[in-house]
Amino acid sequence: MADGGEPEKKRRRVEELAEKMAVDGGHGENTRDWDGRWNHVRKFLERSGPFTHPDFEPSTESLQFLLETCKILVIGAGGLGCELLKNLALSGFRQIHVIDMDTIDVSNLNRQFLFRPKDVGQPKADVAAEFINRRIPGCNVVPYFKKIQDFDESFYRQFHIIVCGLDSIIARRWMNGMLMSLLIYEDGVLDPSSIIPLIDGGTEGFKGNARVVLPGMTACIDCTLELYPPQINFPMCTIASMPRLPEHCIEYVRVLQWPKEKPFGAHLSKPYSICLFFLSGVVKRIIPAVASTNAVIAGMLQEKQFSASFSSAYVPLNNYLVFNDVDGLYTYTFEADRKENCMACSQVPQDLKFASSAKLQDILRYLTENASLQMKSPAITATMDGKNKTLYLQTIASIEERTRPNLCKTLKELGLTDGQELAVADVTTPQTMLFKLHFI
């Protein structure tokens, strides 16, 4: 019988061997670069090849930028986020920040490999950062257990690239709008230094996509909103007065009753404890996830991230890539076109064409169901007689109750006129959107 000390002795010998191989890179005692550690990266950055950009000049400075300067923000530490953090850290990116507002659930453990059973209930960002920092010498991952909406422009402006591994279209659109708001124009000309590339990816079962958004230059998230599956929304009037589907009843409890009663706290965020899969699907809009698809899409995002970091190194792919391995393997890349009247990147007021006899709930339904808008919970205000008037706002219970009768009133009864401007705020963007009402 072994005395139990042999495994410990082997572990110590391995650590001693690693110590001998490690060479202090001069960036602190936790940042050791052994000989040959970055040879795979140097092949991309320090030599020419048949696929390099015509303007590419091999240099050792690119590697130093990667190791010492480049600051990356990863949004989401779930299935895609875990893969992204691993890929970035192993590729030499050392200044990585990660935001995630979720905690670890047992159901995450089959694919989110940075987490263990002991981590259940802990913030994903904190655990993922600690795991990467412990396993990869020299990497410094800074976690934030918050919402992306909790940070202002100055926070996002510090990053060279933002990579999204989200399962929420709303969060994607908000981030897209934030980066648009950071753009600086001088005499109508875009300042390139104000552009922060957005690398975005998503998966659903055996399907996925990866894309690059250069704010102000390429098609943004909202330009191609029709490519995303429309979100499931239920009209508030139906939910409050005439629920006729199980989904309506669940939404009635979630949106109206739960905030008032608060039987188990302020938020219905973990329906798994109720053990009803249908309830979980409605409340959390659950999308199935497959570990292998996450790995493939994360690899594609890493390639696009390298392309954005070192734009002169080689000719990048077009800005949108789709992946499907349901039956065999299929990939396709194309360049998405910018939409001239895009709500996010064109800053052009949108036209709303309705009859004066139309009701406010018709406008609300249009804002949420239109494929180019897909808003979540729009708040509508108008300037009337020199004062701002809230026509409808559903995110604050007291105001929602007070403005709910407006939904059944006609536009004429509300005092709206032809050419009236409506300001609409929504969780899908940090900016207020302007619409111009035209009576038909």
Side-chain angles (χ1 to χ4, degrees), residues 30 37 77-78 81-90 93-94 96 98 104 109 111-120 122-143:
N30 191 40
R37 182 178 182 183
C82 286
E83 295 279 358
L84 281 168
L85 289 170
K86 176 259 296 178
N87 289 352
L88 289 169
L90 290 175
F93 293 94
R94 287 172 164 167
I96 305 173
V98 58
I104 300 167
L109 301 180
R111 63 193 182 279
Q112 298 175 21
F113 56 87
L114 300 182
F115 311 137
R116 301 293 182 266
K118 65 180 178 61
D119 301 322
V120 170
Q122 299 299 312
K124 288 184 176 181
D126 293 350
V127 176
E130 192 275 332
F131 190 104
I132 295 292
N133 291 338
R134 185 178 70 251
R135 292 290 295 271
I136 302 178
C139 190
N140 179 34
V141 181
V142 181

Side-chain angles (χ1 to χ4, degrees), residues 30-58:
N30 191 40
T31 310
R32 297 185 176 93
D33 289 340
W34 53 88
D35 290 337
R37 182 178 182 183
W38 305 118
N39 284 350
H40 62 296
V41 179
R42 287 192 169 97
K43 292 177 181 179
F44 286 99
L45 303 178
E46 297 181 6
R47 67 179 188 179
S48 297
F51 300 107
T52 55
H53 194 279
D55 298 330
F56 174 63
E57 295 183 4

